[in-house]
């Protein structure tokens, strides 16, 4: 049936062109993600790092303890991957919390 419609359109003199309008939607890109990193230092107590991981990153005690050991052994560890705004907020919260408790703990973020 549709084929008959196009065949009829082809038989006309060409004054009335028939076509199909295609709507193209721009592909929406996902926002870039950011890794939040905790850095090791020689002064912040391990228990404090575990507490930070539990409080600000929702980890269980076992997860936080394991990640704290990774930070201790490797010097740095990714504690989560978030949108820019969330990563920025978490870094600010951790840094403020560490300063208020007089610990030099460093938390930073970088694009994934």
């Amino acid at each position: 049936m549709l084929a008959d419609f196009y065949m009829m359109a082809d038989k006309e003199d060409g004054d009335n062109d028939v076509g199909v309008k295609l709507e193209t939607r721009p592909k929406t890109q996902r926002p870039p993600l950011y890794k939040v990193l905790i850095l090791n230092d020689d002064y912040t107590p391990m228990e404090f790092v575990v507490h930070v991981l539990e409080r600000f990153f929702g980890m269980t005690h076992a997860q936080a303890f394991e990640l704290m050991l990774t930070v201790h052994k490797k010097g740095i560890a990714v504690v989560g991957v978030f949108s820019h705004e969330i990563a920025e907020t978490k870094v600010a919260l951790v840094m403020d919390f560490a300063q208020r408790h007089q610990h030099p703990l460093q938390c930073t973020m970088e694009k994934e």
Side-chain angles (χ1 to χ4, degrees):
M1 184 178 223
L2 192 57
D4 293 336
F5 174 76
Y6 283 112
M7 288 172 62
M8 288 173 40
D10 286 342
K11 290 180 184 176
E12 293 181 13
D13 295 334
D15 293 348
N16 297 328
D17 289 342
V18 176
V20 178
K21 181 180 177 186
L22 298 176
E23 287 189 37
T24 58
R25 291 186 197 169
K27 285 191 176 183
T28 54
Q29 293 181 339
R30 291 184 176 216
L33 296 176
Y34 291 79
K35 298 184 282 189
V36 175
L37 307 150
I38 295 276
L39 287 75
N40 187 47
D41 63 72
D42 294 333
Y43 303 101
T44 304
M46 292 179 177
E47 299 82 24
F48 184 79
V49 176
V50 170
H51 180 69
V52 164
L53 295 172
E54 291 170 343
R55 180 173 179 163
F56 297 105
F57 298 95
M59 295 182 186
T60 65
H61 185 75
Q63 291 169 326
F65 188 82
E66 192 171 320
L67 195 57
M68 176 275 300
L69 287 178
T70 301
V71 172
H72 182 69
K73 291 176 185 173
K74 296 189 176 185
I76 192 168
V78 175
V79 295
V81 179
F82 308 96
S83 69
H84 185 270
E85 292 78 14
I86 293 174
E88 194 172 53
T89 300
K90 290 203 180 268
V91 168
L93 288 170
V94 169
M95 294 297 291
D96 181 60
F97 190 70
Q99 278 184 327
R100 283 189 287 125
H101 288 85
Q102 300 178 346
H103 294 301
L105 180 67
Q106 292 295 303
C107 183
T108 186
M109 61 188 262
E110 66 181 37
K111 201 169 189 175
E112 189 174 44

